[in-house]
Structures are given as structure tokens and as C-alpha cells.
């Protein structure tokens, strides 16, 4: 039949029924779950509606509590300045009974309060205007006392010292006491703190810096007063013509002390102030102290100009000292403007030192021109000794002198105008004398020596009428020059070899001296006639000469001529010997001239005597000296 369901068996049908039953149960269970969910949601709404008002009340209570706490904080903020003022006021106004540490702690506590910046737009403003102003007034009073305390503490530590004690014993200059330095550091730290509404002109510890500069500048200046006075006193001349000697003046000690004091200050300011403040503070101290040095240099320069010929060496020494000091200070503070100021203070003395170079040449020439006469015995004149002593003394100041010569330029030292146009020192940064400096110093020395000998030669030519005396005079002065070169640093640092210039003057003096001995020599020369066989001298030595035969072969007229020549020689020789013995000679000059005369006269006389000594048959009427006697007389000249 169509549409009739057919099941294969009863088991399958039973399974279907079971599944249908389970499905029905599932549907019923789902309905129950939905009903329970609806009931739960309804119960939740009821709970929420019941708890909502309670939660709202809790939030309102939290806000109220927060507001109350803020009000309490504000009230505490209002009370805080009052409480701080009440606590710190007895300390601030009772400062004479309070120790430094407690007083500083009190100011530090007030600083912690007044340094906070109030904001009028903020609801948490913690201080009112009246309370803040009262606390600020108290704080300002404390700050004012701290500034005074800083000055008092510093002045107590700034009693002038005696620098000579530290310089001579090579001790470091004193710093501040260990118990004082921390107090000054703490005061400066407090005063540097920026405070709102505190009408102090310029923050950053300007009060302590200005106080420090004032007190410590005075301390250094006062400490150096004795050395400054000593520098002026040691510059005063005991003898008008006394030449300044290196290290005689006290300025070197002054400069050493100044540098030591500034180095001590450098360590102190680094401890108290910030690095930028420390350097600026030290610069200001240097500026104050250098003013005193400038006054000292002015007075020394005036003294040097009044005694230029003898004290120009002090100018050389000052140039070296201040130049070195300038570099030390610049290295310490790193401030070129300060170095330039030192250089400008030195400039007048540098100009004086440079002008002295041509002035010394002019002074040598002037002294010779003013000499009314010369020693009659041809002795060395003092101007030669003085001139060489000047050059010897210059070697003690070779560094500044050579630098000045380089800046002036070769040969320009003969003119004051050229010197004045020259630049500053050529090699200030160097501590060694360069080859150019040595060469120019040697050239200056030779120019000085040449000028000296030229003017002495001209003066001797006008004064002496005898060439022998002129020659001895020149040789004596040349010997003094050579000895000064040989026995001093002139020979070691500049004129290391015998100058050709000096040798040329020695030769000129020797030539003039020998002119005088031409007189005796001319009587010993004779013409030899080769056409007179009997009278021709034999070619052998002295032993081959037979004086008796030669004299026998002479005509009467020739014998008379020989006799006259012996008499003339004797007179001229005795005159020259007497004159030479009467002349003053340097030791080396006397020995040299004796050798020269002996080498010239003895051979000539020996040959003449060998030929003609029998002219008076040993009576001594004409032949006054035999060869041995003449040699003894010549030896006695040395």
C-alpha cells in the first residue's frame, strides 16, 4: 500500500521511540532553564535596585573625605611657616649664643620652606601671603648674618703672612683652617640657592664672591708689601758706578711669592665656589694684585732710566721675571686678557731694556770722547774693562737680551730710532736661547768691541805722538778684551772662537809697536857688494866669519861708518829698551813683545857683531854689547 511505513524490525522501532522520549525530555529541560534564567535576571534587577543608593552614598563619602584631607593639608600649609618661624626665630635672633653649625642648620631649614614656589591658581596653596612674608623677613635676616659671618671668618683667616719665610724654605703658602673652610663652603652653598620673592640682586653667591675678592686681594697685597719695599730698596745704588748684578734685586722673590699666593688661592676658591665662579674670582683677585705690581714696575723703571748705563741689566732681569710670571698666571687661570695686561705693564721696562742696547754703545763712545788724556805709559784704560764687564754681565741675561736682539733685527741696535720701532719680544714662550739669538748676541758683542777699539785708536793717535806707545796701548786693550772673552761666558756662549776682528786689532797694534824698533834695526842692515871679492861675507855659519880680517879690509871711511853705526845702534837700542821698560803692559803683551823684539833684533845684531865686533878690539868703546849681553837685555824685556 502507497504511504505505509515499513520498518525492518521491531528493534529499530524501539530505538526511535527511545530517542523521541529523550528529545522530549531535552525540550522540557530547556524550558526549565529558560524559566530559571528569567527568574535570576529578575532577582538581579531587584538586588541592583536595592544596592544602587548605598553605592552612590559611598562615593559621596569618599569625595567628602578627600576634600576634608585637602582642607587639612591647606591648614597645615598655612600653619607650617608659622611653625617654622616660631621654631627658628629664637635661633636667628639669638645667633650670638648659637654655634655656627646650629645656625646654619636653622637657615637651611628655612631655606627648604621658602625655596618652594607658591602657585596662586592651585587649590593646594599651602601658605598665605602674610605668613610667607614674615618667614621671608626672618630668612633675609639670617642670610644677612651669614654674609657677615662669611666675611668675618674669611678676614680672621686673612692675616698677612711673611712670604720670604715660605719662599726661602720652599714651603707652600697657607690655606684656610680646616674648621673654617667647611663653614665657608656651607654659607656659600646656602646663599647660592635661588629663593622666590627674595629681592637679592644677582643670585649665584655674588655677595660671597665680592667679599672673597675684597678680603683676599687685600691679604695678598698686604703680604707682598715688604717684598715690594725690598725690591725698591735693593735697587738703590751704594756706589754711583756700581753695575747691577743678577739676583741682587728682590723682584724675583716678589714674583715667586705672588705666584705661590695665587696658587694657594686657586685651591681655596675651587673648594668654595663652582668651577666657573672659582676661575672668575681668581681672575678678579689677579687684577687687583697686578695693580700693585704695576706700581712697583713703574718705580723700578724710573730708577733704571736714571741709571741706564749701569742698571739696564735690572731691566733685562725684570723682563725675564715678569715674562715667566705672565705665563704661569695664564696657565693657572687661562685668561689671555690678564696676560695681555701683565705684558702691557711690562712694556715700559721692555722699551727701556731695548733702548739700553744702543745707549750702551753711545755711552762707550761718549766716555772715550770725554777722556782728556790717556795713560802716559800706554796702560789699559778703565773704559775697556768696563765695556767688557758690561758684555760679560749680559751673558747672565742671555735669554731676554737675545730675544730683544732678534726682535730689533741685526745691526739695528746701533740706532735708538730703529729699536723703538721694533716689535715685542721675539720668542717669549721659549725658555732656551736659539741659534739666531746666540749669533746676534755675538754680533752685538763684536760691534761693541770694534766701536771701543776704533775710538781708542783715534784717541791714542791724537794723544800719543809715538807709534810704539800707540801700539802698546792698543795691544794692552786688545789683551784685556781677549782675556775677558776667554775667562767668561762670552767665550762659552757666544764668541766660541777667537774673533777675527780682535785678531786684526792685535796685528795693527803689533805693527805700530814694531815701527818704533825700526830705528835700531836700520843700523844693523848693510849692503853687500858682490863685486868686492875680499869683503864678501863667507857663505858658512858664524864660525866661518873672521871679524879681524873683515875690519882689516875696510877703508878708514868704512871703519868710521861702522863705528857710527855701533854708536847709533847703542843709543837707539838703549832708548827703545828704556822706553819699553817704562811702558805698562799686560802680562801677555809684555811677553809677546819681548819675543817679537828678540826675534827681530837678536839675529840682525848677531850677524853684524860677528862681522864687525873687532872694530874697537874689545875695548867696548863702540861695541857696547856682545851677543850674550844683548840676548840678556832682550830677555829682560819679558
Amino acid at each position: 500500500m502507497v504511504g505505509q511505513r515499513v520498518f525492518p524490525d521491531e528493534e529499530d522501532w524501539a530505538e526511535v521511540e527511545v530517542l523521541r522520549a529523550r528529545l522530549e525530555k531535552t525540550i522540557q529541560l530547556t524550558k526549565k532553564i529558560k524559566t530559571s534564567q528569567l527568574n535570576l535576571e529578575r532577582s538581579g534587577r531587584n538586588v541592583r535596585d536595592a544596592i544602587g543608593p548605598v553605592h552612590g552614598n559611598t562615593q559621596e563619602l569618599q569625595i567628602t573625605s578627600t576634600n576634608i584631607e585637602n582642607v587639612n593639608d591647606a591648614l597645615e600649609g598655612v600653619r607650617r611657616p608659622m611653625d617654622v618661624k616660631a621654631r627658628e626665630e629664637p635661633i636667628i635672633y639669638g645667633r650670638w649664643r648659637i654655634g655656627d653649625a646650629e645656625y646654619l642648620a636653622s637657615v637651611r631649614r628655612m631655606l627648604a620652606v621658602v625655596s618652594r614656589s607658591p602657585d596662586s591658581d592651585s587649590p593646594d596653596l599651602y601658605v598665605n601671603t602674610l605668613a610667607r612674608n614674615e618667614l621671608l623677613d626672618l630668612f633675609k635676616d639670617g642670610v644677612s648674618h651669614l654674609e657677615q659671618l662669611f666675611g668675618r671668618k674669611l678676614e680672621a683667616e686673612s692675616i698677612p703672612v711673611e712670604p720670604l719665610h715660605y719662599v726661602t724654605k720652599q714651603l707652600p703658602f697657607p690655606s684656610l683652617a680646616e674648621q673654617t673652610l667647611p663653614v665657608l663652603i656651607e654659607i656659600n652653598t646656602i646663599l647660592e640657592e635661588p629663593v622666590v620673592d627674595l629681592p637679592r640682586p644677582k643670585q649665584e653667591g655674588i655677595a660671597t664672591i665680592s667679599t672673597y675678592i675684597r678680603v683676599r686681594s687685600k691679604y695678598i697685597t698686604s703680604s707682598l708689601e715688604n717684598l715690594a719695599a725690598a725690591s725698591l730698596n735693593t735697587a738703590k745704588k751704594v756706589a754711583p758706578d756700581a753695575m747691577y748684578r743678577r739676583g741682587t734685586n728682590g723682584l724675583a722673590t716678589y714674583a715667586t711669592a705672588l705666584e705661590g699666593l695665587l696658587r694657594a688661592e686657586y685651591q681655596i676658591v675651587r673648594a668654595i665656589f663652582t668651577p666657573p665662579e672659582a676661575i672668575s674670582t681668581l681672575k678678579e683677585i689677579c687684577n687687583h694684585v697686578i695693580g700693585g705690581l704695576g706700581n712697583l714696575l713703574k718705580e723700578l723703571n724710573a730708577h733704571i732710566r736714571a741709571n741706564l748705563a749701569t742698571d739696564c741689566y735690572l731691566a733685562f732681569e725684570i723682563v725675564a721675571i715678569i715674562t715667566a710670571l705672565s705665563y704661569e698666571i695664564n696657565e693657572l687661570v687661562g685668561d689671555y686678557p690678564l696676560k695681555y695686561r701683565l705684558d702691557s705693564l711690562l712694556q715700559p721696562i721692555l722699551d727701556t731694556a731695548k733702548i739700553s742696547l744702543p745707549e750702551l754703545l753711545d755711552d762707550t763712545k761718549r766716555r772715550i770722547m770725554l777722556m782728556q788724556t790717556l795713560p802716559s805709559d800706554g796702560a789699559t784704560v778703565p773704559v775697556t774693562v768696563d765695556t767688557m764687564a758690561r758684555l760679560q754681565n749680559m751673558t747672565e741675561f742671555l735669554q731676554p737680551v737675545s730675544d730683544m736682539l732678534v726682535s730689533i733685527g741685526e745691526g739695528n741696535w746701533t740706532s735708538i730710532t730703529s729699536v723703538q720701532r721694533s716689535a715685542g719680544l721675539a720668542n717669549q714662550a721659549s725658555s732656551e736661547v736659539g741659534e739666531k739669538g746666540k749669533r746676534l748676541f755675538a754680533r752685538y758683542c763684536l760691534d761693541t768691541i770694534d766701536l771701543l777699539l776704533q775710538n781708542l785708536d783715534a784717541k791714542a793717535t791724537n794723544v800719543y805722538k809715538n807709534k810704539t806707545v800707540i801700539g802698546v796701548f792698543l795691544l794692552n786693550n786688545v789683551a784685556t778684551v781677549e782675556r775677558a772673552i776667554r775667562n767668561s761666558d762670552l767665550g762659552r756662549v757666544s764668541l766660541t772662537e777667537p774673533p777675527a776682528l780682535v785678531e786684526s786689532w792685535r796685528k795693527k797694534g803689533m805693527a805700530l809697536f814694531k815701527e818704533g824698533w825700526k830705528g835700531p834695526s836700520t843700523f844693523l842692515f848693510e849692503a853687500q857688494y858682490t863685486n868686492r871679492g875680499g869683503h864678501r861675507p863667507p857663505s858658512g855659519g858664524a864660525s866661518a866669519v873672521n871679524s879681524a880680517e873683515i875690519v882689516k879690509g875696510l877703508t878708514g871711511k868704512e871703519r868710521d861708518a861702522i863705528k857710527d853705526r855701533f854708536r847709533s845702534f847703542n843709543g837707539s837700542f838703549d832708548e827703545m829698551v828704556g822706553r819699553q821698560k817704562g811702558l805698562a803692559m799686560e802680562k801677555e803683551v809684555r811677553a809677546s813683545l819681548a819675543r817679537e823684539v828678540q826675534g827681530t833684533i837678536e839675529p840682525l845684531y848677531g850677524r853684524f857683531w860677528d862681522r864687525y865686533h873687532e872694530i874697537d878690539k874689545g875695548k867696548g868703546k863702540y861695541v857696547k854689547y856682545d851677543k850674550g849681553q844683548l840676548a840678556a837685555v832682550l830677555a829682560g824685556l819679558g
Side-chain angles (χ1 to χ4, degrees):
M1 182 183 297
V2 179
Q4 186 178 1
R5 180 176 297 177
V6 179
F7 294 96
D9 52 33
E10 289 297 330
E11 288 183 8
D12 290 337
W13 174 250
E15 278 188 30
V16 172
E17 287 298 328
V18 171
L19 290 174
R20 283 180 179 175
R22 288 180 179 176
L23 179 60
E24 186 66 29
K25 288 180 180 181
T26 299
I27 292 171
Q28 292 299 324
L29 182 59
T30 300
K31 289 179 179 180
K32 289 180 179 181
I33 290 173
K34 286 183 178 181
T35 301
S36 298
Q37 185 178 4
L38 291 174
N39 293 333
L40 183 60
E41 289 178 356
R42 194 164 38 249
S43 298
R45 282 194 298 270
N46 294 334
V47 171
R48 186 171 59 250
D49 292 340
I51 294 178
V54 176
H55 182 264
N57 292 337
T58 301
Q59 285 184 328
E60 290 178 359
L61 289 174
Q62 289 177 341
I63 293 172
T64 302
S65 176
T66 301
N67 292 337
I68 291 172
E69 290 177 357
N70 289 339
V71 170
N72 289 333
D73 289 341
L75 292 174
E76 179 66 24
V78 171
R79 289 196 308 270
R80 187 178 304 157
M82 297 295 193
D83 294 341
V84 171
K85 179 176 179 293
R87 183 174 66 249
E88 310 300 346
E89 193 171 29
I91 298 176
I92 297 302
Y93 291 137
R95 50 181 170 265
W96 308 115
R97 303 186 303 273
I98 302 300
D100 294 337
E102 186 176 353
Y103 193 90
L104 287 170
S106 174
V107 177
R108 174 66 76 180
R109 287 192 295 270
M110 285 193 293
L111 177 64
V113 176
V114 300
S115 61
R116 295 182 60 181
S117 176
D119 185 356
S120 59
D121 296 331
S122 175
D124 63 350
L125 181 63
Y126 74 95
V127 65
N128 59 32
T129 303
L130 179 61
R132 179 177 176 80
N133 288 342
E134 289 178 353
L135 186 59
L136 277 174
D137 289 341
L138 184 63
F139 179 72
K140 285 189 289 184
D141 189 74
V143 165
S144 176
H145 174 66
L146 286 185
E147 292 173 354
Q148 296 172 15
L149 179 63
F150 186 93
R152 287 198 303 272
K153 291 281 185 183
L154 195 60
E155 286 177 351
E157 294 287 334
S158 301
I159 300 173
V161 298
E162 180 49 61
L164 192 61
H165 168 76
Y166 298 93
V167 173
T168 54
K169 295 187 177 182
Q170 297 183 340
L171 299 173
F173 280 84
S175 181
L176 301 183
E178 292 183 1
Q179 64 270 23
T180 301
L181 189 58
V183 176
L184 298 182
I185 295 173
E186 178 69 11
I187 292 174
N188 184 70
T189 302
I190 291 174
L191 297 181
E192 281 187 336
E193 289 291 338
V195 177
V196 178
D197 295 337
L198 184 60
R200 282 191 295 163
K202 298 182 182 179
Q203 295 288 341
E204 302 181 0
I206 189 64
T208 52
I209 290 178
S210 60
T211 300
Y212 190 94
I213 292 171
R214 174 179 55 81
V215 173
R216 298 303 284 182
S217 296
K218 182 180 178 181
Y219 156 73
I220 295 177
T221 303
S222 300
S223 296
L224 292 172
E225 282 180 353
N226 288 339
L227 288 181
S231 298
L232 293 175
N233 290 334
T234 51
K236 294 178 180 179
K237 302 178 70 63
V238 177
D241 297 332
M243 188 183 304
Y244 177 79
R245 297 296 177 181
R246 181 181 181 183
T248 306
N249 188 260
L251 186 68
T253 305
Y254 180 99
T256 302
L258 174 56
E259 181 187 343
L261 287 165
L262 290 178
R263 289 193 179 278
E265 288 305 308
Y266 178 65
Q267 298 301 325
I268 298 172
V269 296
R270 285 181 61 192
I272 297 177
F273 305 108
T274 63
E277 289 174 343
I279 293 299
S280 63
T281 301
L282 191 60
K283 287 178 184 178
E284 288 302 318
I285 293 175
C286 288
N287 275 317
H288 282 77
V289 174
I290 285 173
L293 175 61
N295 294 331
L296 175 59
L297 293 180
K298 285 181 182 178
E299 295 189 53
L300 288 174
N301 190 41
H303 166 79
I304 294 169
R305 283 188 169 272
N307 305 274
L308 191 59
T310 56
D311 285 8
C312 61
Y313 311 97
L314 175 56
F316 302 154
E317 185 174 59
I318 292 174
V319 169
I321 291 171
I322 301 303
T323 299
L325 178 64
S326 174
Y327 276 95
E328 291 296 333
I329 291 179
N330 182 66
E331 181 182 355
L332 188 64
V333 300
D335 185 45
Y336 277 101
L338 190 60
K339 178 183 179 301
Y340 295 149
R341 186 182 176 199
L342 267 173
D343 293 343
S344 66
L345 293 177
L346 176 63
Q347 189 62 45
I349 287 186
L350 177 59
D351 293 339
T352 299
K354 292 164 79 172
I355 289 173
S356 70
L357 296 173
E359 179 59 30
L360 289 177
L361 296 175
D362 291 343
D363 182 69
T364 299
K365 185 189 301 184
R366 186 165 50 249
R367 288 181 63 185
I368 296 174
M369 290 177 61
L370 293 176
M371 293 168 63
Q372 298 297 321
T373 185
L374 295 176
S376 59
D377 56 2
T380 303
V381 287
V383 67
T384 301
V385 177
D386 293 344
T387 300
M388 296 311 297
R390 288 174 174 179
L391 295 180
Q392 288 174 326
N393 204 22
M394 277 190 185
T395 61
E396 296 291 327
F397 313 96
L398 192 57
Q399 175 65 55
V401 170
S402 62
D403 285 345
M404 286 187 289
L405 291 173
V406 171
S407 69
I408 292 170
E410 185 167 0
N412 292 331
W413 47 71
T414 59
S415 167
I416 292 180
T417 303
S418 298
V419 168
Q420 289 173 333
R421 287 199 300 262
S422 64
L425 291 185
N427 194 23
Q428 289 185 352
S430 174
S431 60
E432 298 181 356
V433 181
E435 289 301 319
K436 185 176 182 180
K438 289 182 180 179
R439 179 178 63 80
L440 291 182
F441 179 67
R443 184 71 259 170
Y444 178 82
C445 292
L446 292 176
D447 285 354
T448 302
I449 293 169
D450 194 34
L451 177 76
L452 168 72
L453 296 176
Q454 279 183 9
N455 284 270
L456 288 178
D457 181 32
K459 176 64 73 172
T461 302
N462 291 330
V463 173
Y464 299 128
K465 303 304 178 184
N466 185 282
K467 291 185 177 180
T468 300
V469 182
I470 297 175
V472 170
F473 176 74
L474 284 178
L475 288 171
N476 279 332
N477 286 280
V478 168
T480 301
V481 169
E482 288 180 318
R483 186 167 56 249
I485 294 173
R486 186 173 57 252
N487 298 336
S488 72
D489 283 340
L490 285 173
R492 288 188 287 273
V493 302
S494 56
L495 305 176
T496 54
E497 298 180 359
L501 171 71
V502 177
E503 181 62 21
S504 68
W505 279 105
R506 192 191 67 79
K507 289 181 178 179
K508 181 175 182 178
M510 185 64 74
L512 288 169
F513 170 78
K514 291 168 69 174
E515 282 287 325
W517 279 94
K518 282 185 177 179
S521 300
T522 56
F523 300 115
L524 302 178
F525 290 113
E526 61 176 327
Q528 301 292 339
Y529 300 99
T530 58
N531 59 347
R532 299 179 182 180
H535 292 173
R536 183 176 180 179
S539 59
S543 60
V545 177
N546 189 327
S547 178
E549 289 186 5
I550 293 175
V551 171
K552 185 178 179 180
L554 296 176
T555 63
K557 186 176 181 181
E558 288 175 334
R559 288 194 186 96
D560 292 339
I562 294 298
K563 293 176 183 178
D564 288 340
R565 289 170 67 181
F566 266 113
R567 279 195 299 265
S568 298
F569 171 80
N570 292 337
S572 180
F573 178 77
D574 290 344
E575 180 186 356
M576 288 302 301
V577 169
R579 178 177 295 170
Q580 185 160 335
K581 287 184 176 181
L583 294 176
M585 298 182 191
E586 302 293 331
K587 182 179 179 180
E588 56 267 47
V589 172
R590 185 173 294 281
S592 174
L593 292 182
R595 289 194 302 271
E596 188 69 27
V597 172
Q598 193 167 14
T600 302
I601 298 299
E602 191 171 356
L604 290 174
Y605 187 79
R607 286 194 298 269
F608 193 78
W609 186 90
D610 286 338
R611 289 178 59 79
Y612 303 115
H613 68 273
E614 289 294 333
I615 196 70
D616 64 356
K617 301 185 184 303
K619 297 178 181 179
K621 183 178 181 180
Y622 306 110
V623 183
K624 184 177 181 180
Y625 303 100
D626 61 21
K627 290 194 292 184
Q629 291 171 330
L630 185 82
V633 172
L634 292 176
L637 294 178

